[in-house]
Structure formats: C-alpha cells, structure tokens
Amino acid sequence: QVQLVESGGGLVQAGGSLRLSCAASGRTFSRYAVGWFRQAPGEEREFVASISGNGASTYYADSVKGRFTISRDNAKNTVFLLMNRLKPEDTAVYYCASGWDPTGGRAYYTEISYNYWGQGTQVTVSS
C-alpha cells in the first residue's frame, strides 16, 4: 500500500510559478512511476507529467511542455512538479499518482497505469 500526499498548491498570478510536492510512504519508492494529473471544474481529469522510478524518463502533456518540470528525490520519497509561466487555464486540482514498475525505467501517461492516488491540491491562476 502506498499513500501519497500532495502539497504546494495555492493562488498565483498569471506568469508566476508554483512547485508542487508529492510525498509517498513505502520503502520501494524507486520501483514506482509517478504521474501528475489535473482536473478543472466540469472537465475530465487529464495527464500532466510523469517520471520513471529511476528518474531517467519523463513525459509531458503538450499543454505544459517547456513550462513544467517533473523531478524526484527517491531518498526523500518525494516527487516535485515545478510549474513556471502559469496560465489561467492551468487552474485545476492537481493529483499525483503512483504505479508499480519493477524495471524503474518507465514513465506512464495513462490513468489505468496508476494504482494509488493522492487527495489533490488546488492550483488557481488569476489573470
């Protein structure tokens, strides 16, 4: 069982930055790919970014490529999402999720690949 807790959300002006954190429980964190997803009001949840267990592979949605950076610190069981040049359309609840990958080298981008989810953190970007 893996528990995930997101933090770092808040209110920011357009063009600003935020860094989200996803803290995970468990002793085999490096065997889990981690992804960030978001859900805006009235919208379907969508993929944002993901990172492999060993941190070598990353994957981004086109809408955030070049603005967001995902990284991880396996020693601290934490994954980060640095969000720069934020836009009002980035407003959403952001969720992190983890999916088992014994190879440690895969970054998943589909929800079905993830087994555990956090409770979410709100990000609001004002114009």
Side-chain angles (χ1 to χ4, degrees), residues 55-79:
S57 298
T58 57
Y59 196 82
Y60 295 93
D62 287 343
S63 58
V64 306
K65 203 172 292 182
R67 299 188 298 123
F68 291 11
T69 303
I70 190 170
S71 61
R72 66 191 296 157
D73 183 343
N74 285 344
K76 296 182 179 179
N77 277 20
T78 303
V79 170

Side-chain angles (χ1 to χ4, degrees), residues 33-122:
V34 175
W36 285 96
F37 293 77
R38 66 187 182 187
Q39 187 168 22
E43 302 288 333
E44 297 277 322
R45 188 159 58 188
E46 65 175 2
F47 169 78
V48 176
S50 62
I51 188 166
S52 60
N54 60 14
S57 298
T58 57
Y59 196 82
Y60 295 93
D62 287 343
S63 58
V64 306
K65 203 172 292 182
R67 299 188 298 123
F68 291 11
T69 303
I70 190 170
S71 61
R72 66 191 296 157
D73 183 343
N74 285 344
K76 296 182 179 179
N77 277 20
T78 303
V79 170
F80 304 98
L81 184 68
L82 176 61
M83 306 185 294
N84 292 324
R85 304 202 308 277
L86 282 161
K87 305 175 181 179
E89 51 264 42
D90 293 317
T91 295
V93 177
Y94 283 71
Y95 300 90
C96 68
S98 65
W100 174 250
D101 172 28
T103 75
R106 290 191 284 248
Y108 305 126
Y109 59 90
T110 56
E111 288 195 32
I112 197 171
S113 300
Y114 292 95
N115 311 104
Y116 304 101
W117 293 79
Q119 82 291 348
T121 186
Q122 176 70 47

